[in-house]
Amino acid sequence: ERRFQEANPLLQQISPDIENWVVSYQHLGQAVAGQQKEYLQMFYLVLQVCYYLMVGQVKSVKAVLKQLQQSIQTITAPDWPVDADLSRSREADQFIWMPREHLCVLVYLVTVMHSMQAGFMEKAERYTDKAIVQISKLKTHTDSPILSTFHVMLVEHMIQCRLVMGNKTKAVSELGILTKLLSSNSLLLSRHRAQLHTLLGLYAMSMNCMEAAESQLNAALRTSKERELWTFANLNLAIVYLRQSRNSDFMALLDRISPDQLPSSSHCMKAAAYYIHGLQAFFSSQYGESKRYLRETLKMANAEDLNRLTSCSLVLLGHIFLSLGNA
């Protein structure tokens, strides 16, 4: 439901209960209580990591993500009991919410998501490759729907990664893989249709095919049921209009992309909205206004280590100072 303001206090409230789990449930035996705590801790850390990523707080998530990565190493160690042994206790005492092999893929996925937002593209590529190898191994034994979802999400992130790095050949190849994955599963297609349109729009933008990009981004807006994706598509549509000098169309989008009225709760999206307004002011030769927006972008980007936005803002500021110097 994306009720982030309510979610965060609840997450903070439950943390002490998990920390004290072994003491509170020592009657089960220290080993069993310790194992239960580890699975509960992983569930809690996954929720925390997802919360921070969804609100675009890339720097804030680092410590929690590191804890999650340490937890997955603990439960995948050779001396850790297999899930079947843990599930022999009373059903009410069990909390194996996902097989540990699937948890391993999930940790790879959230690491990829974090790396993408932070601008670490090579790290995102490396963890995606590891995750897809793991998924391929698991699919030889079981055809779990959650693995198919993880696979689709990994490919979606990898396409964005290729486009950021300028590798359009691999991007279009992976768009083909994504289309194949979705076309073989009607449920996944219905849930990821808007993402596919958005990615096709981004690819068209990278190829300077602005009409195709506009068409795909509008299709994403028509089919999207997610506020964050809807905002992301609008921000990219605004860039399409700017690149085509369609100022009146850009102004018609203002209510959707204004940083102060942005429907998204994401820190990253809001920073990107400031950048796009700075870009629009630059193209209109309103250099003072552009600098004002870009300073906001830099302030927000530096606060949460949004490295790509920091780089883009500094480059654009350089162009502004160059233009002012030539004026």
Side-chain angles (χ1 to χ4, degrees), residues 27-205:
H27 61 277
L28 298 173
Q30 194 160 356
V32 172
Q35 290 153 7
Q36 288 179 345
K37 180 191 171 182
E38 203 63 51
Y39 274 97
L40 279 167
Q41 179 91 338
M42 280 213 70
F43 184 62
Y44 170 73
L45 291 172
V46 166
L47 290 176
Q48 267 207 311
V49 168
C50 289
Y51 165 78
Y52 282 122
L53 290 176
M54 290 169 90
V55 296
Q57 294 181 0
V58 178
K59 185 176 182 179
S60 303
V61 78
K62 282 183 180 178
V64 187
L65 181 59
K66 189 172 182 180
Q67 267 188 282
L68 179 60
Q69 290 164 342
Q70 289 167 345
S71 278
I72 196 67
Q73 288 176 350
T74 299
I75 70 165
T76 53
D79 58 344
W80 186 261
V82 296
D83 290 347
D85 290 345
L86 288 173
S87 62
R88 285 174 189 159
S89 58
R90 287 190 315 126
E91 190 172 346
D93 295 331
Q94 297 169 17
F95 193 75
I96 302 174
W97 60 287
M98 188 181 287
R100 59 180 171 176
E101 296 82 8
H102 293 189
L103 280 171
C104 191
V105 178
L106 178 57
V107 174
Y108 283 144
L109 174 59
V110 294
T111 303
V112 169
M113 292 166 74
H114 174 260
S115 301
M116 278 290 304
Q117 286 196 30
F120 303 132
M121 300 302 151
E122 290 180 359
K123 185 177 179 182
E125 286 182 320
R126 193 165 65 248
Y127 275 93
T128 298
D129 290 341
K130 287 182 179 182
I132 289 175
V133 167
Q134 180 83 347
I135 288 169
S136 299
K137 286 179 182 175
L138 292 172
K139 280 193 169 182
T140 59
H141 305 296
T142 177
D143 190 21
S144 169
I146 194 73
L147 290 176
S148 298
T149 300
F150 289 162
H151 195 178
V152 165
M153 292 176 73
L154 285 160
V155 175
E156 287 172 350
H157 280 81
M158 196 42 42
I159 293 164
Q160 291 184 66
C161 187
R162 306 294 193 204
L163 291 173
V164 169
M165 297 178 77
N167 197 333
K168 299 169 193 176
T169 305
K170 283 191 175 178
V172 77
S173 172
E174 281 158 351
L175 275 165
I177 292 170
L178 178 60
T179 304
K180 189 175 179 182
L181 287 170
L182 294 178
S183 61
S184 64
N185 187 317
S186 58
L187 182 60
L188 276 177
L189 179 59
S190 68
R191 289 178 177 172
H192 290 262
R193 188 186 298 275
Q195 286 91 327
L196 178 59
H197 283 302
T198 304
L199 290 167
L200 287 167
L202 295 179
Y203 176 75
M205 288 171 72

Side-chain angles (χ1 to χ4, degrees), residues 288 290-300 313 317 321:
S290 183
K291 283 195 289 184
R292 186 175 70 81
Y293 282 123
L294 292 173
R295 286 190 185 110
E296 285 298 321
T297 307
L298 283 170
K299 187 164 66 176
M300 294 188 73
S313 300
L317 274 172
F321 292 131

Side-chain angles (χ1 to χ4, degrees), residues 6-40:
E6 295 174 43
N8 191 36
L10 285 172
L11 287 170
Q12 303 308 321
Q13 185 181 327
I14 201 67
S15 180
D17 292 331
I18 296 174
E19 285 301 315
N20 297 324
W21 187 268
V22 175
V23 174
S24 302
Y25 291 87
Q26 57 187 334
H27 61 277
L28 298 173
Q30 194 160 356
V32 172
Q35 290 153 7
Q36 288 179 345
K37 180 191 171 182
E38 203 63 51
Y39 274 97
L40 279 167

